[in-house]
Each structure stands twice: as C-alpha cells, then as structure tokens.
Amino acid sequence: MPRGPGTLGPWDPGPRDLACPASTLFVARQTIRSERKRVGACDSRGWTRGLRPRRMVSIRAGCPDGGGRGGFLLRVADIAVEAGGVRLFAGLSLELGEGERVALTGPSGCGKTTLLRAVAGLIDPCAGEILLHGRPPETFGWPAYRRQVVLVDQRPILFDETVRFNLEKPFTYRTAGATPWPAARAAELLEAFGLGARRLDQPARSLSQGQQQRVALVRALLLEPAILLLDEPTSALDPESVELVEERLVAEARGQGLGALVVTHDRHQAHRLCDRVLDLQPYMIAPGGGDREAAGSREVGDG
Amino acid sequence: MGSTPGSPIALGWEDLAVAAGLVVVAGVISLLMKLRIERRLAIASLRTVVQLLLIGYVLEWVFAARSLLALAPIVMLMVAGATHAAIRRPRRSLAGIGWRAFLTLVTSGLITTITATAVIIGVRPWYEPHYLVPLLGMVLGNTMNAISLSVDHLLETLTERRGEVEMELALGATRWEAARGPIADAVRRGMIPIVNSMTVVGIVSLPGMMTGQILAGADPVVAVRYQIMIMFMLAAGTALGSIGMAMLVYRRLFNQRHQLLAEAIRRRG
C-alpha cells in the first residue's frame, strides 16, 4: 500500500540524557495515509486514532545497548493497525535490544494487546514494518519468525491434554526442525515456577488458572525465543509466583539475552521486570493530517 | 391388476391418490394434536408432486435426446440445486462459499459418476443419461450433505477454538499444522452419515436404489452389486467433497502469512 504524502518526522523523545539513547529511539510518527477515507477507519469527524508514547521512563541505567551488538533485535517502525475497518492506532515505533525488556502500559483498550498481536504477525498491520535482526519476517518465513518472537496470551490457552503434551507440541512443528524436546530444561523451568515436574502428567486444564498461566510461560520459554511478547503474564498469579516468574524472566534476559515486550498494568512490576516503560496514549489524527489534537498534556513535536 | 414378476407395475393417478391419503392421515394427526405441521406438510407434498413430475418430463426428453448438449444444463441445474442446499444449512458462512461448494460438487460428483459409467459399468456413450443422471443425483445428494456438515463443523471449530489455533500459530506452527486438527474433524464429521449407512446397509435399511431395482423386477443379486458400487461411489464422493470443501475453506481462512482470518466467518442471521 502506498504511503501517504505527509510522513512527519520522529517524535523527539525528550531530553537526550535518558539512560540509553540508542535504544530509546521511540519515534511516534503519524503516517498520514492517502486512503484514509475507508469506511469506518475514521470517526464521525474524520479523525483517526493514533497511539504514541506519552511518556517513556528509563528504569535502569546502562541497559543493554541493542545498537552496539550488531543492530537491534526487533524494530517496529511506524506501525498502524486496523481491525474490522476501524483504525486502532497508527504511527507507533519501537526498538528492542538484546536482553532488553520494555513494559507497555496505557489505558485499557488503547491497543496494547493488538500491538502485541501485530508484532507476532497474527494480524497484519496496514502500514509500517517489523524487522527482526534487521530482516523482515517473511524472509524467515512467518512460522519461523513467530518461533523467535513468541506471543503468550493473557488468558492461557492450553490443549485439553496433559501438561507434557502441551509443552511437547511445539517441538512437533516443522519450524522446530531437529530440536529435541528439552526434557531437563522443562523440568527445571516447572520447578523454577513453583509447579514441580510431577505436574507433567496432569491434565493441563485441571490446573488452576495461575498454574496454567505458568505452564504457558514455560512452553514459550522452552522454545528459547529471541523475544517474548507477554500480555499481562502474571495477571492470574499469587504474589510468590509473580516473584518466581519475574526473577526467572530477568535471569533469562541477563543470561540468554531474551528480550521482552510486556503489557502490564502493574507499575511496580514494570519497574522490577523491565528496563524501560513505554506509556502509551491514544490520540487523534486529523483528516488532513496536518492538524492533530493531543488528548494528553504533551504536544507531539513536528520533526 | 395382474403382472408377472420381472416387469414393473405401472402406477396410475388413482394409485397416487391413495398414496396421498397416507399424507392426509399424517396431516389429520397433526391437526388433532395441534402439531401445526399440516401446512408445511401440504406444501412439501405439493412440491414433491410438482418437482418430480417436472423432472420426469425433463428426463424423458433428455433420455430421448441422448446428447451431451441436452444433458449439460440438467447436470448444471442439479449441481446448482445441491450447492444451494449445501450452503444454506451451516450455522456460519463466509463470502465466496457458493462457488467453492459448486466447484467441489461438480468435481467430486463428476469424477465418481463418470468413473462409474465409463469404467465400472462401461456403458456407451459414457454420458448415457439413463445411468449418468440417477447416479449423479445420488452422489450429489450425499455429497451436499457431507459438505454441509463439514463446513458447519469447520467454521464452528475455527470460531470457537480460534484462540487455540492462533496459539499454535504463535508458537511457530505453520497454518497447515494449526488447521490440521479442525480440518480432520470436519472431514470426519462430513463422512459420518455415509460411513454409518455403509455399516448398517442391508441390516437396518434397504437402500432406495436397490429397492427400486427390485421393485422394477431386477434380480436381487444384480441389484445388490449395483448397490455395492453405489455405496463405494458415495463413500468416494463424500470423501472427495468433504476434503475438497474443507481445503477450499482452509485456503480462504488462512493466508500466506499464516494468519487465521477469523473475521471472514459470518454468523448466519
């Protein structure tokens, strides 16, 4: 699809003294698209919704410099998503370095889950691009890409089979190649998440919601992805389990360089788990593209 | 009305009037018990008479013509009718399901029927309407049911278990790996009726075609051989139909980027 004429410059993320400038290249661009007249893509006044970083908080100084290790792990540029003819958001960009965790916060319904689904390639963005290791997903093949960038739903979805079946299933896919089922790591991860290896032969759906959520996390971690897309990963967990999960995720990030985009409503969790918090805020893009109406206090700068 | 076995007894209008009496009995029961199906029963009976008389005359003409040109429109009409019936019943639908059902029915119907007339029965010419039309009718009737059932099941599964399918995709499954389970279930669902009737044929039910041949004075053993051939044709036809249709729906609902396009599924309302 042709890009419209009015692609504005990058949004200045603010003072340059943020802890890691290289990986804070969040740019909110308003991709003004010529065919915005599509039915339903606009509200009654013809404004469309955008999603932009309202505020970006860098938590840890000296967070991994993605650019320094041969480029960013994941780069999402100028992404826009429509669902059912309605523009959910537009002009969102973010970059993620190796081992880096970014929390996504924002009001309910602002499109955080949709953003994760778009990054996972389960829905098509109508504009923008996604690059993993600098390559577009189709060069890996979408299934292979998704194996690298694994989405874990908020509501854990497990097969009505044993826990073992659920964990082994992804290793039967073609994208698994000859990767053997890592039995030892599975047992170790279950143990680390307070589940215990004896759960392996239990029917997955007989577990509590919180246990199922952890099984889903173990299943994703077993694939040893480059990036996890976590949608409120601990929403069903008790405080002790939350701690176990968070500790493990941070350890995986430090050890294996696992990156993560984490949707969370818990500010404290964002601080414990992530290097940066990206607070998203919906705003409106005017029909002509020139004007915009900021819903928040901060005005978007013209680049 | 005396007759020797071996030649059918023709039914006159007065005989059919007596048969209609059977329907009237059902209608009276409906009225007495306030089942309120008498109206629909009357309409259905009328349709039976009109449609069958009409097709009787048409077939008479087609059989007399014995030409492919006369046969083709009849075949197309039969397939169109089957298509209409096949896509009306599923609880969910999707854009472009009509031509997919038509294509599936034409292909599976003609492959099995022409194999039967040209190779198995070996009638010359292969399109001899006496053989082709009734055989095709039987295959289409069963295949359309199979298509209905499998489409219904597939669309229902992909809607209800959308999360599960997308979860598999998210874990690196190809679209085929994610869809394989629902597709297999749908094909199985489509083939249950024919497999059931193959299991009990001759024990619980005497198939209509065999009954017809026996009534027409054919040797039961000959009739049985025909019936066996037909059951096999129906098995093949419904299998081809269910699989073909499930694959066409699969190609529509999963794109090149291995996404499930669940929004394309519409609830019938």
Side-chain angles (χ1 to χ4, degrees), chain B residues 227-249:
Chain B
Q227 191 56 45
I228 291 172
M229 175 194 75
I230 283 171
M231 295 310 273
F232 289 173
M233 283 172 68
L234 297 185
T238 51
L240 280 176
S242 307
I243 294 168
M245 193 62 191
M247 289 312 289
L248 287 177
V249 170

Side-chain angles (χ1 to χ4, degrees), chain A residues 72-120:
Chain A
F72 290 105
L73 208 50
L74 181 75
R75 185 188 167 96
V76 175
D78 250 351
I79 204 167
V81 172
E82 276 178 19
V86 178
R87 177 70 60 93
L88 289 177
F89 55 80
L92 188 85
S93 300
L94 62 89
E95 277 154 347
L96 198 65
E98 198 172 295
E100 195 179 12
R101 286 93 59 209
V102 171
L104 297 173
T105 61
S108 285
C110 80
K112 302 186 294 291
T113 297
T114 309
L115 173 62
L116 287 194
R117 284 170 58 80
V119 173

